[in-house]
Each structure stands twice: as C-alpha cells, then as structure tokens.
Amino acid sequence: MAPLEELKAQDFLTVYCVYLDKQCGHEHTETVDITAEDFSFLLTTNLESAYHISQLVHPLLKDSEAASIVFISSIAGVTSIKNIASMYGATKGGSNQLTRNLACEWAKDNIRINCVARGPIRTLLSGRVVKDGSALHEAFITRTPLGRIGEPNEVSSLVAFLCFPAASYISGQTICVDGGLTVNAV
C-alpha cells in the first residue's frame, strides 16, 4: 500500500474496521461478568477505532472525487443472538449507527459510508467458537435459511462492490451477509 500522503490520488480508499478478538474473546461473556476493563476494550476495539480511523482518513478521502468507507460489523449489532454478550452487540450496533451518521455528515464531501454486518462466517477466528458439529454451529445452521455457514469471499465480494462506482448511490446502509439469519422469524 502507498504511504498515507500518496493516497490523495486514489479514487477511493476503504477502511476495514475489523473486530480483532486475538486477546479478547468477550463476545460470549455474560453481561454480569463483563468487567470495566472488558467494557473499555470492547468499546475501544469495536467502535472507537472505527471512529478515529475515519477521522484520520477524512482529509484524504475528501480530496478524492468518490470515496468510500466500509465498516465490518456483526449481525449481533442488528438483532439479539443467544449466547452473544450484550456489550459486543452494543458496540456493533454503535458501528452501524456510526455508518448512518457519517454517511449523512460526509455526503457533502463525496464520501460514502456503508457497513457489512456479517453473520456466521467460516474464518480462523470464528472457527474457535463455532466449531463444526458444535451446538452453536448446529443452531446457526438450523436458523439460517440457506442452511450453512458463510465463506469469507461472500463478505469480501460485497465489500469490494461497495467500493466500486457501481455502488455510487449506496450510502448509510448496513447490509447483512448472513444467509438470511436476521430475517428468519422463528
């Protein structure tokens, strides 16, 4: 990637704000067990980082003719999911709202902001929690109309699309990539 000062010439720049649960793992902690440190870590990792990175890249994106920011969120910020900590869902919900607010605020600067809320996706990180054959894995499969866990390319393809000119009229949206899980009323 080019140095930050050279990015002004780019047509668009995507900021990926991905939850890095390398040391955290609090997304499955009961609310009463979340400590002040856990709370601060989740808030900083999932919301503050997206906010501050957006502030930092705003001048570069403003110089572009058609810029795009795509946040990565979770369906836990869209709907309640059993066994997912309320604080994790709250921080992801905050990311979804940040998407809407920045989309309105920065439209005048030709910056589009969208968010991809992923459902259960087969990754190295999620594989630690949603192991094939586990009760949680089976619960997701049963509840998901498409009947399977998603693949990383099914998220990345949407992120790429949102960055291209073909998506130039899409802004302020949180799009769920979840095999229909969030719309399946059971």
Side-chain angles (χ1 to χ4, degrees):
M1 185 173 197
L4 205 55
E5 56 275 358
E6 292 177 25
L7 289 174
K8 291 181 182 178
Q10 299 294 324
D11 290 329
F12 55 84
L13 175 67
T14 301
V15 178
Y16 296 94
C17 296
V18 180
Y19 177 67
L20 302 173
D21 73 343
K22 190 182 207 179
Q23 299 172 4
C24 186
H26 300 299
E27 66 275 14
H28 299 282
T29 304
E30 293 287 329
T31 300
V32 295
D33 296 326
I34 297 276
T35 66
E37 292 80 20
D38 296 338
F39 182 94
S40 179
F41 182 83
L42 281 167
L43 193 60
T44 300
T45 303
N46 291 344
L47 186 56
E48 281 187 46
S49 61
Y51 186 87
H52 294 304
I53 289 170
S54 297
Q55 286 179 309
L56 289 171
V57 300
H58 180 266
L60 300 173
L61 296 174
K62 189 175 177 180
D63 288 346
S64 172
E65 290 182 23
S68 178
I69 294 174
V70 179
F71 295 120
I72 304 297
S73 183
S74 167
I75 60 170
V78 176
T79 189
S80 177
I81 300 175
K82 186 177 179 181
N83 298 324
I84 301 292
S86 62
M87 187 58 209
Y88 177 78
T91 61
K92 293 305 184 177
S95 295
N96 300 343
Q97 187 60 43
L98 179 62
T99 299
R100 291 185 285 271
N101 285 66
L102 288 181
C104 293
E105 184 179 341
W106 291 357
K108 69 184 180 315
D109 299 323
N110 293 316
I111 301 171
R112 294 180 303 105
I113 292 86
N114 288 291
C115 184
V116 174
R118 64 177 196 80
I121 303 296
R122 191 178 314 281
T123 66
L124 291 174
L125 290 175
S126 67
R128 294 183 319 185
V129 177
V130 187
K131 295 177 179 67
D132 286 348
S134 70
L136 187 56
H137 179 266
E138 293 308 312
F140 277 133
I141 298 275
T142 302
R143 183 95 160 96
T144 303
L146 291 182
R148 65 181 176 82
I149 301 294
E151 298 297 330
N153 68 310
E154 294 171 310
V155 175
S156 61
S157 298
L158 176 59
V159 172
F161 169 74
L162 290 170
C163 296
F164 287 119
S168 63
Y169 200 59
I170 301 172
S171 191
Q173 302 304 304
T174 297
I175 303 171
C176 296
V177 178
D178 64 357
L181 185 122
T182 53
V183 296
N184 189 18
V186 175

